[in-house]
Amino acid sequence: MPPSTRLALFTLISATATIFFLQKSLRRLRRILTAAATTKNPSPKGKIFFISQTGTSKALAQRLHTFLIQNNLIFDLIDPKNFDPEDLYKEKFVIFVASTWEDGKAPENGRFFVDWLVESADDFRVGSLLLKDCNFGVFGVGGRCYGESFNAVGRGIVKKMRELGGNEVVEMCEGDVDEGDLDGVFDIWCKDLVGVLKNGVLGDGVSKDGILGGGLVEKGEVLRNVIGFESGEEESEGEYEESDEEEDGSGEGEIVDLEDIAGKGPSRKSGGVVKENGNLNGVSKNRVKEMVTPVLRANLEKQGYKIIGSHSGVKICRWTKSQLRGRGGCYKHSFYGIDSHRCMEATPSLACANKCVFCWRHHTNPVAKSWQWKMDNPLEIVNTAIDLHTKMIKQMKGVPGVKTELLLEGLSPRHCALSLVGEPIMYPEINSLVDELHRRRISTFLVTNAQFPEKILSLRPLTQLYVSVDAATKDTLKAIDRPLFGDFWERFLDSLKALKEKQQRTVYRLTLVKGWNVEDIDAYSKLFSVGNPDFIEIKGVTYCGSSATSKLTMENVPWHADVKEFSEALSQKSNGEYEVACEHVHSCCVLLAKVDKFKVNGQWFTWIDYEKFHDLVATGQPFDSSDYMAPTPSWAVYGANEGGFDPEQTRFKKERRHKSTR
């Protein structure tokens, strides 16, 4: 090919490429200009949550999602069960299409999300500014035939979002699936929503730039910045600052329900609480609220609890099941001689004043500073607890390994561990309840979390009274117990002092959590003289899985060797006042006992003469812990080959069949 021809061909190809590039660039520019003309400001991405049981709300949310896309508004469609509500504060705009299910409850896919909103709004540590940068709108789906629970979930979401500082930028609309035009009402609400998003129209006011433009929305006389504080503006100093006075006592009546939220927000006074029928809108003024809400009841029953009345519970213990099979009892069998197959685990108060990081119930129980609920009769609580417990024992009939003679004995409980969950001494009639148990010659082992010293002082004689000593310093106690009271440390120390006044058997209960509370041996030893307990139980924490409220792992669980080492060091710090007396290897638990009281001529007397105890109680005369002690068998003594396992029982080990890695 001649040079001139090659040059002409090269020129033609270059020109063609240039034209193609220019055409492509023009098309791109046209798309950009078209988008700019369609919406003045690009929309930030928001989220649409559907809370749906039968699919109605989900279908509506999908329609809304399509409608917003058609209006160049970018939103993600989200199933709340796949969303961590603790990330809600990061969102600029969220929309809820929420159905209400049976008894005013949220459908299953949104139950955790709704529970989180309730507990967070009612938790004084979270504060009312958590969602200050989050704008929201709610469309409720329900049926008016359900009366008060009509659209309870949608109304509750609005209430709790507001309490957490959220900005409701479009008024909630309540759709009725039984009466009226649900689709038509929803379509009108969707148009209103788009108007707010694009033009800022809301109620009586109009925003110049709209929500997505960063403008202000005026509703009546209220002017709010719907996307938070503008740059250069600051919150009024001290308006939401937490004061010592507020922390220390002003919130006596507030409720902090269910799980915890990580971290601590500004303090505030609590709003409404969950209604008896499951509504999230509060309780009528003329009705005393019940502690156990429908949501709470479902959570606890799922864990195997039997709910008694409105605030109590009973549950069969794994050690009860174990000893019914003759496979060994719990550490209280080894340390104190209880019959585990005749022990009833119960509580008259599911509420507590702490939210401990190692709570084995993952905080599926209420939290409060004082009793403020409907109160059940103590006689009814005891009767129902025994009835439910015996029914659970009967259900063990026919279970492989259960021994008939032990099953028959188990139908008549002799012991009651008032340590199931919560804080039993919060129950105002705790003394009457204990009296009812003793009248039936049922021993009482009560555990308190050391936040109600005045209640400890007023307790009548118990078989054994425990105080949880979860830490030895103020900072550690605050971190591990997460108490509600601002004066928690003073209450803790006063509880130990109150323990010193008791004449019956008293115990410090230490739960060791590696990485949290195992380093302060000196500080623990200094607490001995404060409460002068008869015994000190030292137990490794039980791992119950991680949750939104606890990030403990197996790394935090000490070995039995670790517990022994800690116990021996603590004994040495007592300068001979306490010695290691017993152990139960299976429970990773060790017992220190007062030498001058419970070691007689080289023999430990940590066991209890239960019949003698009941006889002493019946006299009404004063008595002390030395009056009903009994000798400890050799197999339960620290260092014995049995490791605290009763040789009359049959040791059983599960066969573990792991897949071969070869």
Side-chain angles (χ1 to χ4, degrees), residues 208-423:
K208 179 180 179 182
D209 297 321
I211 291 174
L212 300 179
L216 298 177
V217 173
E218 184 178 6
K219 185 175 182 180
E221 298 179 357
V222 180
L223 191 64
R224 306 179 66 188
N225 185 340
V226 298
I227 61 170
F229 295 94
E230 298 286 7
S231 59
E233 294 183 356
E234 297 179 355
E235 301 175 46
S236 58
E237 185 177 355
E239 183 178 355
Y240 298 100
E241 186 176 345
E242 182 177 321
S243 68
D244 292 337
E245 179 182 352
E246 189 173 12
E247 181 182 356
D248 286 347
S250 63
E252 283 293 314
E254 65 194 271
I255 297 177
V256 184
D257 203 16
L258 305 180
E259 299 172 5
D260 193 17
I261 197 95
K264 181 174 180 179
S267 176
R268 65 168 184 80
K269 302 220 172 170
S270 175
V273 294
V274 182
K275 290 182 70 174
E276 290 179 333
N277 66 359
N279 286 356
L280 305 178
N281 294 317
V283 179
S284 60
K285 293 181 180 179
N286 59 354
R287 180 168 29 166
V288 180
K289 57 183 175 289
E290 294 189 357
M291 180 188 294
V292 179
T293 65
V295 171
L296 176 57
R297 183 181 295 271
N299 285 334
L300 291 172
E301 288 178 345
K302 188 176 182 180
Q303 297 177 47
Y305 288 86
K306 302 298 182 183
I307 305 303
I308 303 168
S310 64
H311 55 73
S312 307
V314 65
K315 188 175 188 286
I316 190 169
C317 174
R318 61 176 285 252
W319 289 109
T320 299
K321 298 176 182 178
S322 175
Q323 199 157 5
L324 284 171
R325 298 177 176 182
R327 295 178 178 178
C330 72
Y331 73 90
K332 287 197 286 291
H333 174 62
S334 301
F335 295 175
Y336 315 120
I338 75 157
D339 295 321
S340 297
H341 66 296
R342 303 187 72 178
C343 182
M344 176 175 68
E345 193 175 20
T347 182
S349 171
L350 291 161
C352 185
N354 290 342
K355 308 194 87 174
C356 304
V357 297
F358 55 79
C359 179
W360 60 352
R361 306 306 177 196
H362 294 304
H363 306 145
T364 46
N365 60 296
V367 189
K369 292 180 178 180
S370 62
W371 189 272
Q372 50 202 285
W373 302 279
K374 172 185 174 182
M375 189 173 66
D376 298 331
N377 182 278
L379 177 60
E380 293 177 0
I381 294 174
V382 172
N383 286 338
T384 306
I386 294 174
D387 181 54
L388 291 173
H389 176 78
T390 54
K391 285 181 180 178
M392 288 186 283
I393 295 294
K394 287 179 182 178
Q395 290 171 359
M396 293 293 293
K397 184 178 181 180
V399 173
V402 171
K403 300 180 182 299
T404 302
E405 65 276 15
L406 296 178
L407 183 69
L408 291 174
E409 288 180 354
L411 295 175
S412 300
R414 290 188 61 223
H415 316 285
C416 181
L418 293 166
S419 60
L420 179 63
V421 71
E423 175 57 85

